[in-house]
Amino acid sequence: MTTTGIRPAEHSAHDVLEWTRRHTDPALRAAIDTLPATARRVAGYHLGWWDEDGRPAEGGAGKAIRPALALLASEAVGGSATAAVPAAVAVELVHNFSLLHDDVMDGDRTRRHRPTAWTVFGIGNAVLVGDVLLSLACDVLAASEHPSATKAIRLLTDAVQRLVAGQFVDIAFQDRRAVQLDECVSMAENKTGALLGAACALGTIFGDGTAQQVDHQRAFGEGVGLAFQHVDDLLGIWGDPARTGKSAFSDLRTRKKSLPVVAALTADNPAGRELADLYYRDEALEEEELLQVAALVEAAGGRAWSQDQADDLLARSMEHLRLAQPVKRADELSTLARFVTHRDQ
């Protein structure tokens, strides 16, 4: 792959993501360089570009899934990836705004195989940098001078409001014993699905797609986003820390009411009831109990349900992609969607 927009006919999801990073990193770095020095230092550390002292670092960057969706969505409707770079950068900035805040709210100490920004620079700095990345995302879209820049900003801010609404509900779940499965699904649709849908919609707008194409591409992204959350929740229980960058059983340790957990807790079977007895007690879960909880989530059907949901959502998303009538890059979008919904567990 090259940065010219020309790609081989056959490639892997990893090829697409590498191409995306090469295509968008210069613009992303240029945007980050406009920040005040302290904010730039924290943001660059969080993005994996340098260590806490500002020395260049290798690795640690995100997968660039959302920017990839934006670039490919633009090409799918006959536009260019280059035209959609502002959309790609904007969604990546919003994504990292949410990660910085999530790490603080969840108390996560590790992300991308190293300490989270708040543990290095303090909670206040991490929150403020998250705020400034959100502002910067809108500025990037405005500075693009695309004829639909205002529409794009409103679409992105709507996705952010949905993301925040989902986060509000997710936090509320922590203090609630009973959470219904449909509530949990709705939360994930907003918290995760909204931004992936926005990435596809923004890319389509910057590729000058029709209103109908924008709607179908957004539905494609939202479906992939919810499927992604199912898989991410599975990885939060059974994922390999060497791959996920998080500690083993990280979601169970904090008693997070993730999709497979809620599916198991609401299952009317012995394993679900035994799981509830362990999950709702006040005492911290010991290491051997975490193993037991994971086994109970699986025995109650939560693991299989989430994987089945991810597969079904992927199939429905592919139908929306077909209805968007892509002129090219449908294979790349399909490959990327399958990649994010079938990560190794």
Side-chain angles (χ1 to χ4, degrees), residues 237-248:
I237 302 173
W238 293 284
D240 179 357
R243 291 176 176 270
T244 65
K246 293 186 177 183
S247 59

Side-chain angles (χ1 to χ4, degrees), residues 248-255 277-279 281-296:
F249 302 130
S250 57
D251 286 354
L252 300 184
R253 200 179 305 276
T254 58
R255 318 251 190 135
D277 290 339
L278 273 173
Y279 220 62
R281 74 180 198 186
D282 294 332
E283 297 82 7
L285 293 167
E286 302 293 337
E287 290 299 317
E288 62 273 13
E289 290 173 325
L290 290 171
L291 286 166
Q292 183 183 0
V293 166
L296 288 169

Side-chain angles (χ1 to χ4, degrees), residues 172-179 257 265 276-277 279-281:
F173 285 173
Q174 296 174 15
D175 299 321
R176 287 176 50 187
R177 178 182 175 90
V179 173
K257 295 183 177 70
L265 287 170
D277 290 339
Y279 220 62
Y280 293 140
R281 74 180 198 186

Side-chain angles (χ1 to χ4, degrees), residues 63 108-116 235 239-248 250:
K63 289 183 277 295
D108 287 338
R109 305 188 69 86
T110 304
R111 179 173 292 281
R112 298 168 182 161
H113 308 284
R114 62 180 187 163
T116 47
L235 291 169
D240 179 357
R243 291 176 176 270
T244 65
K246 293 186 177 183
S247 59
S250 57

